[in-house]
Structures are given as structure tokens and as C-alpha cells.
Amino acid sequence: MRTEYIEKLAGMMNDYQMDAVLICPSEELLFLTGFNPMMCERFQGLVICSDGRMFYICNLLYKDQVEAGLGKSVPVYTWFDGDDMVEIVSGILQENHLGEAVIGVNSSAPAYQILDIAGRIPVRFVDAKPLLEEIRIHKTPEEQECLRQAARIADEAFAAILPRVHAGMKEQDVMDLLAEEMTSRGGENPEGIVASGPNSSYPHYNAYGRTIQDHDLCVLDYGCTYKGLHSDMSRTIFIGEPTGEQKKVYDIVDRAQMAAQKAAVEGAFIPDIDYAARHIIDTEGYEGSLVNRVGHGIGYMIHEAPDIKKSDPRKLERGMAFSIEPGIYLAGNFGIRIENIVMINDRGETEVLNQASRKLIVL
Amino acid sequence: MRTEYIEKLAGMMNDYQMDAVLICPSEELLFLTGFNPMMCERFQGLVICSDGRMFYICNLLYKDQVEAGLGKSVPVYTWFDGDDMVEIVSGILQENHLGEAVIGVNSSAPAYQILDIAGRIPVRFVDAKPLLEEIRIHKTPEEQECLRQAARIADEAFAAILPRVHAGMKEQDVMDLLAEEMTSRGGENPEGIVASGPNSSYPHYNAYGRTIQDHDLCVLDYGCTYKGLHSDMSRTIFIGEPTGEQKKVYDIVDRAQMAAQKAAVEGAFIPDIDYAARHIIDTEGYEGSLVNRVGHGIGYMIHEAPDIKKSDPRKLERGMAFSIEPGIYLAGNFGIRIENIVMINDRGETEVLNQASRKLIVL
């Protein structure tokens, strides 16, 4: 249990006009409690009240596991598969004086269950994701060190697989190599995107079935966790000589990424960082082809606050860690992205966590 | 696009008092459209209206991928990372005359986003999971065949790994073997639980870190998909001679499983099937140790309708497929479970899809 964060969360609920927060299985629950059971369709979650009270609600099937995971200090209320879940859970909330409360929900709470419960009793559920991100937005020195290690593992995996990537491999094969190299270095939960040829034009391409061809380019966007903290990096590599346009786009993305990275200093206004990269892409003839934000915060979740985008009008502070990952995406043709994790460290320096080569690499 | 199911869904919305259904990325979306993009924290989903109209809402980042995946016949509305998502999505719903509508949500719709949207416009969101399950509860002959193949692959993987399991392996190693054997036989998305020693007493144990010891028992609960349809089976194996109590419990679970399997005939009242297994366990001295339902429906999702439990008071019909998986769970000590998938086939027969040995196996 991270008591200090639980107390911080409880203490901030008033400001967010919440009486309690419900945290279903997720990295948010793992972060607060060190425990994260399987999330099946049976409703469950930890309730933390603004007065510091806590209790857990789960199906009877999970009771022993939750008690073993959380320790006996957190009361566990259960419902049984043979019961009407909504009735039992409503009763538990009422018994805990939350039957008419405002309860914030975390990012994994399923709408259909929350709506079912809200349909039975006059509780009001609201979005607690911003609050849950706020309490962990400034990374501690220990967390910063884990982010460094996670980034180092991803960097090393990139260097390690390069000699082994060639035309004829499936995208999945490349992902498997990355996963293997990260795992062997102590990285956990390896995950990523390997998008070759036209698939690279979809920033979140999520199939892995294509066979890499000669003269493909290939976006590798991947990472792992180290003691729960994530890495996330992207490089675009070429299987055979790139075309003139690909070289030109690579150069623009490279400069856009560097410009945003340079703009990301302590005290910088976040929309300016987004603009620094976007402006270069827009004025170099690719207006509109950076279809997303320039970056996202990173920590116990791969995407968390602060986002690097026009609509996140805050200033960078020490302890914030985030990606800088502009790209140019030409639908159905190709896409190029370069991504590093950047952190404002405890000395107020802009620390670029990824050191893997960003040169145009032709295999 | 499975037009017949989309029409069925639209046609049933009136009975469920819904004007539209929102389907976020999930196996439910995959089932209806053959397409399933990555689900990140950016709100997206397919909206199907009761009059048959359809449109998709996503972040600009996904637009090209969605159009390539769904075809140009489904209009795609987008919002951009730099926008206020809730404002844009609210406007899209209003533009489509759904600003005050009742919209059902699927199982993957995140509560925090649904609550944010419902906080902005007078739309009313409700639970559409039961409706989405109802439209696919009767498996077609083709789907039945896929369920058979998925079960066969899981059965074969069990036989294949037995000679390779021994004390000193980690639970993860056993899971890897199962995944490898299922994948090599054409199974996709291998998944499962390997719970050794005391971990077996937690039905949904989800870590894999323990090293299997001499004289452990080990619950293997796993499956894969074949053309999108799931298998799911459990066997409990012994690494060295079981204790007297373990033998006794194995025998009770075996008889309970057989009794429920036998009770699962066309027209049977579902609570009676649950009772058939539970009664044996309760009267043989282990009352209360079957902490969950006796089974769950299976198909395009690993858990779907019908549940085999007291509170699902319907009768078995042709085309229904479900697990029968009673267990006895003795917290912190051990647990034993045997699970087969059973189907009421098109001839009205009770077809047991899993044929892997259910004898007490000592390695």
C-alpha cells in the first residue's frame, strides 16, 4: 500500500467534489496497492473515501485472493455469481454511506456496470481519471530512475535487433525479437507496434501479420516496464534504400522532434512544445499530416498526464516525464515517427531518456 | 460487416428501449465488423442506430485505419488531440439526432468517458451488454464447428505438454508451453491460468511467478480462439502423489462436473444445472467451497451468455455453448477444477467439446 499516495488522493477529493473514488483493476490500482487481480466481467474495485476509509468490493470468487493481496486491514465485501450484483453492490455502497454520494471512477471502470448501479440508487458517478493522474504527475527520484532504466532497456533492444531484421520476416517476428531482447534485460510487459510499408501510415496499427518487403520502411514503437514504470520509444528504419520523398520526410520529422525536445524545458507552456514540432511539419509542406498530439505523459501507465498538446495548457514542472513523438502520416502510403521520452529531472534539466541512434538507418 | 447481425441488433433496440448502441473496440466490435482497432485512452466507437444508420467516431489518428478497416460506407467522424473531445463528440451525437437519445453501451465502453459525455448533453447511456450477447447466443453451424476446432486444439495442447511439465518449472513456463502448442495447431490468442500449489485455491489467480514444487497440484485453465471463437478448458494435474484429501476432492469435483454435464440437456432450466454440481459439493462436506457459478457461455468472447448460475433463469436451447467448471477452493491450501465446454448442437444433443483425459494424472 502506498499510504502517502492514498492519503494524497483522499485529501484532494474535496477539490474535485468527490466523496469517494472507485478503482477497478488496472495499473492505477497496482500503483496504489501493489495488487492487481484479473479483470473479468465480474464487477470489482477498491473504494477510497475522502475521510480515508477504504474497502474493496468483489465477487466471492476473488475474496481470498484480494485478502491475500491487500492484507486484512482492508474490509472486503463480496457478492456471489448467483446474486443480483447490482442489488448487492448498491447495498454495500449504501451501508458505507455512499448511496447518494459522488463517486469518481478510474480509467478501467466499465460503463455498463457503472450505469447499472447508477440506475438503481441515487449515487452519482463522475470521471476520476484526471485526479488519479494528478497525484502521480511528479515522479519521485526513485521513479525517475526506473524510467531511465526502462528507457535504457528499450534502447538496447533496438540496437540488438537491428542486425537480425530483414525482408521476409513478419511484423510479429520483429515484435517477438524486441520482446525477447527487452525481457532478457529485465524489462517486463513488453508491448509495441511494428508497422511496415503502408501500415506505417496508421499511427496505431495493431495487426502484425504483414511480411516485410524489400524497400519497406518500418515503424517500431515499443517499450516495457521496469518496476512498474514504462518506456516507450519509436524509430523508423528502412529495409533497403529509401525514396527521395521518404528521406525528405525523415529529415522533417527528425527536425520537428528535435525542436519540440529543445522546447521542453522547465516552465515551458505545453502548447508551445506541441507547436514547435507541428509548425515545422506544417510549413515544410506536410500540413495536417501530424494527426495527433506531439506527446503524452508516461509513468505507471504508458499514457498519463501531462499530454503534450494544444489543449493541455499547463507548464512543465520538475518530475514530469513525457514522450516527444511527432510523425508524418501519409494514408495508405507510409508514415515516419521518431519518439523519445523526456523528463524534467530534479535539477530542472531536460533529460532525454532515450539515446538510441536517430540517424536514418538502412538495413 | 455481418449485416444480418447488425440488422438483428437494430431490430431489437426497440424492445430494449434504446435508440442506438455504441460499440467501442472489443471482440463485440470485431464480431460485428471484422475490425478491431487498438483501444487507447482516446474515445472511439461504432454507433448503430435503431433505424439501421451507422457511423464511427474516433480520434483523427485512427481515421485512415478505420476507413480502411470498415470501408467507406460507414461515415467516420473525428476529433483531434488538440480538441475538447467531449465537446466534439457531443456535437456529433447531436448532429445525428442522438443528443437526447438513449444509447446502449457495449462491455468495453469506459465509464469515465461515458460519464463525461453524459455530463455535457442530455443523452442517456444504458447497459447494452445483454442485448449484444442475445444477438449471438445461438451459435450457427459454422460457429459450432469453430468452437469444436478451438476445443480440439486446447485438448491436443494438454496431451502435448504433459510429458514436459515437471517440478522446477515456473508457472509461466507451463503457460508458454500451452501457448506454443496451441499456436502451432492454428489456435490464436492463447491465454490462461497456471496456478500451482496454494495459488490453485484462487480461481482467477493471475500471476505466473511461482516455481512448481514436488508434490504440488497445478490447475491449468486455458484456451485460444479459432476463427474468432474461443476454447476454455481446465484440468488439475499432480506433480507427485496427491494427498488423501486431494484425491477425495478430485473425485468430488469430477462427479460434480459429470452431474452438471449430464443435466445440461436441451430444455433444461439453467439453475438446475448449477444445482446439480453444487449439491454434490455441498453434501460431500465442502459446502460453500464452490465460490462461483458452475459455468459461462462462450463464443466470440470467452465469457458471454448464458451463465450457468442460479440467477440466469432460462432454458437451454440449440446453439448455446457454455462451460461446466465446478471446483472446490480451499483458501491458501489448494483448489481443484475440471472444465469442459458443452454445446447443445443443431440436433439437440449435448455435445461435450473437450475430450482431454479427466482422469487423475500424476506426473
Side-chain angles (χ1 to χ4, degrees), chain A residues 36-38 40-42 59-62 64-65 68 80-83 105-107 109-112 114-116 125-129 193 201-206 278 290-293 303 307 309-311 331, chain B residues 36-38 40-42 59-62 64-65 68 80-83 105-107 109-112 114-116 125-129 193 201-206 278 290-293 303 307 309-311 331:
Chain A
N36 196 23
M38 185 183 290
C40 74
E41 76 282 14
R42 295 168 172 100
N59 185 286
L60 180 62
L61 147 69
Y62 289 95
D64 298 321
Q65 192 183 354
F80 169 64
D81 279 341
D83 293 335
V105 302
N106 82 315
S107 69
Y112 73 98
I114 294 301
L115 295 167
D116 283 346
F125 290 106
V126 297
D127 175 5
K129 189 166 181 277
I193 295 166
S201 69
Y202 308 132
H204 275 192
Y205 170 74
N206 66 332
R278 195 173 302 280
L290 170 51
V291 293
N292 57 336
R293 63 192 175 205
H303 293 175
D307 275 350
K309 63 183 182 188
K310 194 174 74 181
S311 54
Chain B
N36 196 21
M38 186 184 290
C40 74
E41 77 282 14
R42 295 169 172 100
N59 185 286
L60 180 62
L61 146 70
Y62 289 96
D64 298 322
Q65 193 183 353
F80 169 64
D81 279 341
D83 294 334
V105 302
N106 81 315
S107 69
Y112 73 98
I114 294 301
L115 294 166
D116 282 347
F125 290 106
V126 297
D127 175 5
K129 190 166 181 276
I193 295 166
S201 69
Y202 309 131
H204 275 192
Y205 170 74
N206 66 331
R278 196 173 301 280
L290 170 52
V291 292
N292 58 336
R293 63 192 174 203
H303 293 175
D307 275 350
K309 64 183 181 187
K310 194 175 75 179
S311 54

Side-chain angles (χ1 to χ4, degrees), chain B residues 127-147:
Chain B
D127 175 5
K129 190 166 181 276
L131 167 56
L132 288 164
E133 291 186 347
E134 196 61 32
I135 62 168
R136 57 179 205 268
I137 197 170
H138 300 101
K139 272 65 187 176
T140 65
E142 294 72 30
E143 291 166 342
Q144 292 178 27
E145 186 52 29
C146 292
L147 287 167

Side-chain angles (χ1 to χ4, degrees), chain A residues 194-361:
Chain A
V194 174
S196 68
N199 295 337
S200 62
S201 69
Y202 308 132
H204 275 192
Y205 170 74
N206 66 332
Y208 299 91
R210 188 170 173 278
T211 300
I212 297 173
Q213 314 284 324
D214 256 333
H215 296 287
D216 266 357
L217 58 71
C218 200
V219 171
L220 312 179
D221 179 352
Y222 64 94
C224 62
T225 62
Y226 182 80
K227 296 190 182 168
L229 286 119
H230 282 268
S231 55
D232 187 11
M233 64 175 278
S234 303
R235 289 294 183 270
T236 305
I237 58 175
F238 295 83
I239 319 299
E241 205 53 38
T243 66
E245 186 182 21
Q246 288 171 346
K247 276 190 214 168
K248 181 180 161 198
V249 168
Y250 194 94
D251 175 63
I252 297 169
V253 170
D254 184 50
R255 284 187 284 127
Q257 202 280 343
M258 284 298 288
Q261 213 164 263
K262 213 169 150 193
V265 295
E266 187 182 8
F269 184 56
I270 282 179
D272 293 342
I273 306 169
D274 184 277
Y275 180 80
R278 195 173 302 280
H279 178 68
I280 291 177
I281 290 170
D282 284 353
T283 55
E284 293 276 2
Y286 290 92
E287 191 168 356
S289 68
L290 170 51
V291 293
N292 57 336
R293 63 192 175 205
V294 162
H296 56 80
I298 191 165
Y300 289 95
M301 293 175 81
I302 192 160
H303 293 175
E304 58 182 48
D307 275 350
I308 307 300
K309 63 183 182 188
K310 194 174 74 181
S311 54
D312 199 340
R314 58 197 303 163
K315 290 184 175 175
L316 285 187
E317 295 164 4
R318 292 184 187 196
M320 288 183 175
F322 46 87
S323 71
I324 299 284
E325 51 170 313
I328 289 180
Y329 304 101
L330 305 173
N333 189 1
F334 69 87
I336 288 176
R337 170 163 76 255
I338 299 175
E339 172 183 23
N340 283 336
I341 299 301
V342 173
M343 186 166 74
I344 311 300
N345 69 20
D346 272 353
R347 295 183 301 278
E349 300 158 349
T350 298
E351 194 179 324
V352 178
L353 303 193
N354 293 99
Q355 297 298 332
S357 172
R358 57 187 296 149
K359 291 222 169 85
L360 191 157
I361 294 174

